[in-house]
Each structure stands twice: as C-alpha cells, then as structure tokens.
Amino acid sequence: QVQLVESGGGLVQAGGSLRLSCAASGRTLRNYAMGWFRQAPGKEREFVATISWSGGVTDYADSVKGRFTISRDNAKNTVYLVMNSLKPEDTAVYYCAAGATSPTRKRSWYDHWGQGTQVTVSS
C-alpha cells in the first residue's frame, strides 16, 4: 500500500509562487506515473499535471501550461508541483495521485490519493 502526503500549500497573492510536495511511503513510487489534481469548492476534481515514472514525459492542463511544472525525485520518493504566476482561479485543494502505469489525465487510472493541501490565491 502507498501512502501519499502533500505539503506546501498556503495563501499567496496573485502572481506569486508555491511549491507543492508529495511524499510517498509504504512503497516506492519508482514504477508509477504520478499526477496532480485539484478541486475547487462546488466543482469536480480536475486534472492539473502528470509525469511518467522516469520523469521524461509530462502533460499539463491547458489552464496551467507554461505556469506550473511537475517533477519527481525517485530517490526521495517525492513528486513536486511548482506553481508560478498564480491566479485566483487556481484556488483549490490540490491532490497528489499515484498508481497509473503511464501518464494520464484520467482520475480512474490512479489507485492512490493523498489527503490534499489547500492553495488559496488572493486577488
């Protein structure tokens, strides 16, 4: 079983930056594609970014492309999401996910989820 714990969320002004981390325990993430999703109040959970097990393939939602960067350190069993030029519409709970066999935008392909970390962007 894999346990995922997100950290790094907080309150930031529009235009600011945050770095989210997702630390895994219980099993190595080395063989899994990883993803970040987010859920705003009253909305469905949506795809943000995904990365292959090697880190060589990434994919981003159009709404964050060019502003967010996903990366991973398999030696540390950790995945990161660097968020720049944040906008109020980026406000959401951000979730880390693991278990997909390849990078994907589909929530159902991920077997393991963290508890989420709140990101709030003020205007």
Side-chain angles (χ1 to χ4, degrees):
Q1 188 72 336
V2 175
Q3 292 82 42
L4 303 173
V5 178
E6 301 96 335
S7 61
L11 174 64
V12 64
Q13 288 188 333
S17 299
L18 285 174
R19 187 181 81 157
L20 305 183
S21 299
C22 172
S25 61
R27 186 181 296 180
T28 179
L29 296 178
R30 191 180 304 274
N31 296 324
Y32 295 139
M34 301 289 297
W36 284 97
F37 290 75
R38 66 187 182 186
Q39 188 167 17
K43 295 187 177 181
E44 289 196 0
R45 192 170 300 187
E46 64 175 5
F47 166 77
V48 175
T50 183
I51 188 168
S52 64
W53 69 269
S54 68
V57 177
T58 58
D59 185 29
Y60 298 91
D62 288 345
S63 59
V64 308
K65 198 172 296 183
R67 300 188 297 122
F68 290 11
T69 302
I70 188 172
S71 63
R72 66 190 297 164
D73 185 337
N74 287 337
K76 295 182 178 180
N77 237 18
T78 302
V79 176
Y80 305 97
L81 185 70
V82 174
M83 306 184 295
N84 296 319
S85 302
L86 282 162
K87 305 175 181 179
E89 51 263 44
D90 294 318
T91 295
V93 177
Y94 282 71
Y95 297 90
C96 172
T101 54
S102 59
T104 179
R105 299 183 175 204
K106 299 180 180 179
R107 285 183 296 173
S108 61
W109 283 36
Y110 295 92
D111 298 322
H112 310 286
W113 293 83
Q115 82 292 345
T117 185
Q118 176 70 47
V119 171
T120 303
V121 184
S122 63
S123 56

